[in-house]
Amino acid sequence: MRAAYFLLLACALPLLVHAEEPVPIEQEPRHRLRFENPHVRFFDVDLPPGYEGRYHWHTNDGVFVNILPAETIAQDLGKEPEKRGWRAIGETYFIGYRDKPKAHRVSNSDTQNYRVTDTEIVRGCGATQPLVEAAGQTLIVDNARVFVTRIILHPGESTELHGPCGMLVSVSEGSLQIAAGGLEQAIGLGRAGFHWRQSVEPHKLTNVGRNVFHAVDIRLK
């Protein structure tokens, strides 16, 4: 019996070690990579109630935008789990993982979905001029990697999206018009929607819908 027990344990240990081994972020089942280019990777993280996350690595700096709040449990590799309260809709923060990579997992302990976007900063765009917020925008983050503003546009209101490049992340749904270089483009964004631009010319953003539009604009330096 003892021999059979130790044989079973020997077989099970590799499986347990493998189960705890962190994977790249794009291999975590609920971290969906929706956009990628040489400058950014955009992840839509949607955790249903009761979901237990898998350990995954963060190795790039990231700007996180909360879309749907819920109570969650975060656990760094090798540490005890920590309960986290609700984050407000639209709450935005920067985490510098490039210099301090981290493996962790996040589980949803609530009865509703938890959703957040992660715009990973892979490579800057070579900004040479000081960046300032445009009309209708409020500064959130200004550091060596990014310049992040909050945008609130009532129906008919406009603002400008500046370069050299940036990612617009929608917190609410919106019907929008983007004009640049004499061209106009109509776009519709849902929650956790995004629009990438790469241009030194400003893009005029207008809310052509019936509701207030809430977004976060991430400019790369």
Side-chain angles (χ1 to χ4, degrees), residues 168-170 172-176 187-191 193-195 213 215:
L168 180 72
V169 180
S170 59
S172 66
E173 298 179 352
S175 297
L176 310 162
I187 63 172
L189 295 178
R191 289 181 175 180
F194 62 92
H195 177 78
F213 177 63

Side-chain angles (χ1 to χ4, degrees), residues 16-91:
L16 291 173
V17 171
H18 177 72
E20 293 298 316
E21 183 179 351
V23 298
I25 184 175
E26 61 271 17
Q27 292 181 19
E28 205 290 324
R30 303 298 300 188
H31 286 61
R32 185 158 62 101
L33 179 60
R34 295 181 58 193
F35 179 82
E36 180 177 15
N37 67 17
H39 299 281
V40 299
R41 297 200 304 170
F42 182 82
F43 289 91
D44 184 355
V45 183
D46 192 357
L47 310 184
Y51 178 77
E52 295 184 1
R54 183 173 180 181
Y55 282 109
H56 58 278
W57 281 104
H58 287 275
T59 57
N60 289 314
D61 295 342
V63 178
F64 297 79
V65 181
N66 195 71
I67 306 299
L68 292 175
E71 291 186 351
T72 58
I73 298 174
Q75 185 174 14
D76 293 350
L77 185 65
K79 297 185 179 181
E80 293 297 315
E82 296 183 1
K83 292 184 179 180
R84 304 192 305 189
W86 280 26
R87 287 193 166 109
I89 294 176
E91 183 175 344

Side-chain angles (χ1 to χ4, degrees), residues 135-137 150-160 175-178 203-214:
Q137 301 182 25
R150 186 177 312 283
I151 296 174
I152 303 291
L153 294 177
H154 289 79
E157 291 183 340
S158 300
T159 189
E160 287 190 338
S175 297
L176 310 162
Q177 185 180 74
I178 297 179
H203 287 55
K204 183 179 179 181
L205 177 71
T206 303
N207 180 0
V208 295
R210 296 181 178 181
N211 301 312
V212 175
F213 177 63
H214 179 186

Side-chain angles (χ1 to χ4, degrees), residues 161-168 195-199 203 217 219:
L161 306 177
H162 292 272
C165 69
M167 176 69 84
L168 180 72
H195 177 78
W196 170 260
R197 68 184 183 280
Q198 190 165 354
S199 172
H203 287 55
D217 189 51
R219 275 190 271 172

Side-chain angles (χ1 to χ4, degrees), residues 59-147:
T59 57
N60 289 314
D61 295 342
V63 178
F64 297 79
V65 181
N66 195 71
I67 306 299
L68 292 175
E71 291 186 351
T72 58
I73 298 174
Q75 185 174 14
D76 293 350
L77 185 65
K79 297 185 179 181
E80 293 297 315
E82 296 183 1
K83 292 184 179 180
R84 304 192 305 189
W86 280 26
R87 287 193 166 109
I89 294 176
E91 183 175 344
T92 301
Y93 48 96
F94 173 92
I95 300 181
Y97 287 124
R98 184 178 65 171
D99 295 332
K100 293 182 178 181
K102 183 172 79 171
H104 77 157
R105 63 180 178 180
V106 179
S107 301
N108 184 353
S109 57
D110 213 323
T111 57
Q112 59 187 34
N113 276 43
Y114 174 68
R115 194 174 188 184
V116 63
T117 65
D118 174 10
T119 303
E120 282 194 344
I121 312 304
V122 179
R123 189 176 72 189
C125 291
T128 58
Q129 301 294 326
L131 304 184
V132 296
E133 59 268 33
Q137 301 182 25
T138 303
L139 180 63
I140 305 173
V141 178
D142 183 8
N143 60 29
R145 303 301 310 281
V146 293
F147 186 89

